[in-house]
Amino acid sequence: MTTARELMTPDATRVHWAETLVDAAGKMAAVDVGALPICGTVSA
């Protein structure tokens, strides 16, 4: 059986929550994907 670890990309491209939409679109175009995970924390 295939594990989740085997399916995951080890160096996935991601977007920090404070990056602009233009930054995110540029990263998505560079790696030819339609979505990126958003990382980081926001203090409430």
Side-chain angles (χ1 to χ4, degrees):
M1 177 187 275
T2 303
T3 65
R5 180 182 303 272
E6 293 169 328
L7 296 174
M8 293 174 65
T9 302
D11 57 346
T13 301
R14 58 200 177 279
V15 177
H16 187 267
W17 67 267
E19 288 186 72
T20 67
L21 183 57
V22 173
D23 293 335
K27 287 184 176 186
M28 290 167 56
V31 295
D32 194 27
V33 298
L36 293 173
I38 300 172
C39 299
T41 58
V42 179
S43 298

